Amino acid sequence: MCGIVGAIAGRDVVPVLVDGLKRLEYRGYDSAGVAVLDGVLKRVRRTGRVSEMEAAAAAEGLHAHIGIGHTRWATHGGVTEANAHPHISDGELALVHNGIIENHDEQRERLKGLGYVFTSQTDTEVVAHLVRHYLHETKDLQIATQRAVRELKGAYALAIIAKSDPTRLVAARMGCPLLIGVGDDEAFVASDVSAVVAHTRRVIYLDEGDVADVRRDGVTVFNAEGAVVARPEQLSNVSLASLELGPYRHFMQKEIHEQPRAIADTLEPILDTGFSPELFGPRGAELMAGVTGVQILACGTSYYAGLVARYWIEALSGIPCAVDIASEYRYRPIVANPGNLVVTISQSGETLDTFEALKYAIAEGHHRTLSICNVPESAIPRLSAMQFLTRAGAEIGVASTKAFSTQLVALFALALVIAKARGRLDAQAEAEHVDALRHLPGSVQHALNLEPQIAAWSERFAAKEHALFLGRGLHFPIALEGALKLKEITYIHAEAYAAGELKHGPLALVDSDMPVVVIAPNDTLLEKVKSNIHEVRARGGEMFVFADADSHFGEEDGVHVIRTPRHVGLLSPVVHVIPVQMLAYHTALARGTDVDKPRNLAKSVTVE
């Protein structure tokens, strides 16, 4: 959600800024802009795609050795050029901002009283004028930024340049991700390492409250109290190849097909370590001992992964598991239980609602915390006592696919770690689960081979405006995930229900224009699901059933069946999510929507 890139170098940085913004497009945005210092501040902004802004910058002959750029996802103020970033204050400084400033109204009134004129509806322009106000007093951009951010309430990542000092770029963060890229006689600022990995792999992740003074020959980081601090420099493992499409039409298609490898990579430490608490870090044994319950906090697709995990944890370990939407949990009174393990799930590790929910849980006395995340050194893992890194690699498509399946693998391992610690996993059962996990990538690959059949189904879906997804037990969350994927990238209204709820309301919606997708593997609830299918057919509904090789379904009028590989027991959700991902993808192709960058959505939700 929104993207920042900045650069200071001995070369022209405009191509660096433009390339960085293009690599941040996946995060979601509706306008883009750059500002550079070339004796004077120059700025180009456009609504729409980065390519439109790039063409305008080229037409103006923009070039400089220092600059900042931004892709904006509108929060305060509509999608207009005036609201696009960067924002400039009095021709003296330019600023880009991710996040939301909660006290912008009172600051706006104060700054108006000081004579500042506002030209946008954004909260960001308040920050630009506030920094400019203190720059006038202090004559130092870093000190001015430090003073300004102390007066801000809310979340922000900032990159700032000032005409009075073209030798440095200042960055600051609170609640939104921001990193520094360290090059040879050049430096970069970005909200995502993908924006700078083409130029350097050496990165410094800023902590909460940090302000960084970024120069060509070095970086100085100040903490919230203004003291100089050392933040570790790390070598990013993100590869350029992972950020390129290769032979695929879209990143979502690429990422769907990368799932066997992503799952195998995620399984590697599990199969090496076994179902041991050390899998989650050096404090694993200490913190997992005596766990009496599990509280999962997540949003969106990660929340659905948590719902699957609830079945696994309770069935395998015999302790209660609650799953909360993070944005709800953080705003309700909770009954703290120090014996609970609090598990946060986030692809980016920067999801604001999940991060704040974790901080709330810790403040209420929960010290057993585990983060399941795809991005090392992001905010949520750093705050957690234990971490498990999924090895999905870079995920560019807004609609999550391989991040979800690898989260499921991690959560299944968690369920077995707890079960073993509680004496509920004997050697034979452990060996059977290990064997099932070893075969899982192959089963996922077999599911991917169903793509031609699923693509044929998508033609039937493309003309529809509504769809219903049904599942039971472990597969109800997969129905939820299937409906979400269809909504996200096709804009078809889709709902998911536990199939047993069909008679309690949703059946009223069923007619010949409402396709019904059913997740129906050969498990203990199969006969119940078959009864639900008959109820739909009796109302003229058209059924699309994802069964498996062991299910005894036959094609008939109005009932279409695709069989995934043999039933894989408790791991079946990992296999059955593949067909619903592909159904959404191919339906989006048939409808001509923007698969990787669906309207109104962002990849990493870093504002409330």
Side-chain angles (χ1 to χ4, degrees):
M1 179 172 286
C2 300
I4 287 173
V5 62
I8 180 169
R11 53 176 164 150
D12 181 15
V13 299
V14 174
V16 175
L17 301 177
V18 171
D19 177 69
L21 293 179
K22 287 181 176 179
R23 295 187 185 278
L24 294 174
E25 285 186 297
Y26 77 94
R27 294 170 67 92
Y29 72 106
D30 43 50
S31 62
V34 295
V36 299
L37 264 173
D38 184 22
V40 296
L41 275 173
K42 298 178 181 178
R43 173 179 63 181
V44 174
R45 301 179 292 178
R46 291 292 186 274
T47 58
R49 294 303 183 200
V50 170
S51 57
E52 298 172 47
M53 185 275 297
E54 178 185 17
E60 294 193 18
L62 216 60
H63 66 275
H65 297 296
I66 181 172
I68 53 178
H70 191 264
T71 51
R72 176 182 186 249
W73 190 82
T75 54
H76 295 74
V79 182
T80 66
E81 189 172 310
N83 288 331
H85 298 213
H87 287 281
I88 290 179
S89 179
D90 287 353
E92 294 297 321
L93 68 79
L95 176 147
V96 292
H97 164 226
N98 289 352
I100 291 178
I101 306 303
E102 295 173 3
N103 62 334
H104 68 96
D105 281 335
E106 62 187 74
Q107 291 289 352
R108 182 184 293 263
E109 292 308 308
R110 172 194 169 198
L111 290 161
K112 282 182 177 179
L114 293 171
Y116 287 91
V117 177
F118 286 79
T119 59
S120 78
Q121 301 166 298
T122 67
D123 54 340
T124 300
E125 193 178 5
V126 166
V127 187
H129 290 323
L130 190 60
V131 175
R132 170 68 186 94
H133 172 68
Y134 287 119
L135 180 60
H136 180 73
E137 289 187 4
T138 65
K139 312 301 183 189
D140 185 288
L141 184 59
Q142 180 269 319
I143 296 173
T145 302
Q146 196 97 42
R147 289 184 62 178
V149 297
R150 286 172 182 161
E151 298 184 10
L152 301 179
K153 296 178 182 177
Y156 57 80
L158 305 172
I160 313 166
I161 55 177
K163 188 172 72 172
S164 59
D165 192 349
T167 66
R168 64 175 172 176
L169 187 159
V170 171
R173 74 152 290 186
M174 176 66 76
C176 293
L178 201 64
L179 60 88
I180 311 299
V182 181
D184 295 326
D185 196 34
E186 57 187 18
F188 312 90
V189 173
S191 49
D192 189 314
V193 71
S194 63
V196 300
V197 73
H199 310 287
T200 183
R201 294 186 179 280
R202 298 161 57 198
V203 295
I204 298 170
Y205 292 92
L206 298 183
D207 278 3
E208 292 287 271
D210 281 355
V211 175
D213 186 346
V214 182
R215 302 173 187 259
R216 285 170 56 179
D217 59 354
V219 178
T220 306
V221 181
F222 302 82
N223 65 15
E225 287 70 46
V228 174
V229 290
R231 301 297 182 212
E233 183 181 302
Q234 301 177 41
L235 200 63
S236 172
N237 61 3
V238 173
S239 71
L240 277 176
S242 70
L243 306 175
E244 303 294 341
L245 266 176
Y248 298 97
R249 293 181 63 180
H250 299 92
F251 280 105
M252 183 178 180
Q253 183 189 32
K254 177 189 179 190
E255 288 152 13
I256 288 172
H257 282 270
E258 287 175 339
Q259 286 176 106
R261 170 50 55 194
I263 289 169
D265 289 346
T266 300
L267 281 172
E268 185 178 334
I270 298 170
L271 299 179
D272 287 346
T273 306
F275 304 121
S276 162
E278 281 74 18
L279 189 63
F280 306 124
R283 298 187 63 198
E286 167 200 347
L287 293 172
M288 297 288 285
V291 166
T292 58
V294 177
Q295 171 68 66
I296 296 176
L297 305 173
C299 301
T301 285
S302 297
Y303 170 69
Y304 298 150
L307 292 179
V308 175
R310 179 174 64 189
Y311 288 90
W312 286 335
I313 290 168
E314 295 192 344
L316 293 168
S317 73
I319 60 174
C321 176
V323 188
D324 273 73
I325 297 171
S327 58
E328 292 294 316
Y329 178 89
R330 62 182 284 207
Y331 287 119
R332 68 173 174 83
I334 64 168
V335 179
N337 178 1
N340 273 0
L341 172 66
V342 176
V343 181
T344 48
I345 313 170
S346 169
Q347 188 281 139
S348 68
E350 303 285 354
T351 309
L352 183 65
D353 285 318
T354 306
F355 182 59
E356 292 296 332
L358 174 58
K359 290 201 304 188
Y360 176 42
I362 292 171
E364 291 296 309
H366 290 106
H367 67 281
R368 306 171 190 259
T369 57
L370 167 65
S371 164
I372 294 174
C373 179
N374 192 44
V375 180
E377 292 305 317
S378 52
I380 294 172
R382 289 206 308 270
L383 185 61
S384 301
M386 296 178 285
Q387 305 82 25
F388 183 89
L389 182 66
T390 57
R391 298 182 179 183
E395 189 178 67
I396 304 299
V398 166
S400 180
T401 52
K402 61 179 180 174
F404 178 75
S405 56
T406 53
Q407 287 169 355
L408 290 179
V409 168
L411 289 162
F412 188 71
L414 171 64
L416 291 170
V417 168
I418 297 173
K420 187 174 182 179
R422 289 174 53 80
R424 293 173 61 98
L425 186 68
D426 60 31
Q428 180 180 344
E430 183 172 5
E432 289 171 354
H433 287 307
V434 168
D435 187 60
L437 286 170
R438 289 189 191 279
H439 286 90
L440 184 60
S443 296
V444 169
Q445 184 58 58
H446 289 149
L448 289 168
N449 295 340
L450 301 170
E451 188 164 15
Q453 297 168 254
I454 296 169
W457 275 12
S458 69
E459 297 297 328
R460 294 175 175 266
F461 276 77
K464 306 297 185 181
E465 294 302 326
H466 306 277
L468 194 63
F469 285 69
L470 302 176
R472 297 199 78 147
L474 272 171
H475 299 91
F476 169 47
I478 302 306
L480 288 164
E481 175 65 5
L484 177 62
K485 287 291 160 282
L486 199 68
K487 280 183 279 200
E488 283 181 310
I489 64 170
T490 72
Y491 316 143
I492 293 173
H493 168 239
E495 291 191 63
Y497 282 88
E501 283 290 287
L502 191 61
K503 294 186 291 292
H504 297 276
L507 198 57
L509 297 172
V510 172
D511 60 19
S512 59
D513 291 324
M514 172 77 81
V516 181
V517 179
V518 186
I519 316 298
N522 187 22
D523 60 15
T524 57
L525 293 173
L526 178 61
E527 293 306 316
K528 298 290 186 183
V529 174
K530 285 183 177 179
S531 297
N532 302 135
I533 289 173
H534 291 311
E535 291 165 356
V536 172
R537 284 301 300 133
R539 275 78 180 174
E542 188 173 15
M543 309 292 300
F544 296 84
V545 183
F546 290 115
D548 56 36
D550 304 324
S551 299
H552 301 292
F553 275 104
E555 291 268 357
E556 60 181 270
D557 184 40
V559 179
H560 314 282
V561 181
I562 290 179
R563 301 183 190 282
T564 60
R566 65 181 179 82
H567 186 51
V568 295
L570 287 174
L571 288 168
S572 178
V574 185
V575 176
H576 273 82
V577 76
I578 307 300
V580 297
Q581 292 171 351
M582 289 196 291
L583 178 62
Y585 172 72
H586 283 284
T587 304
L589 285 187
R591 286 170 69 94
T593 57
D594 191 338
V595 173
D596 287 334
K597 297 185 282 290
R599 68 190 183 200
N600 305 332
L601 299 180
K603 181 65 179 174
S604 179
V605 183
T606 55
V607 297
E608 188 172 4

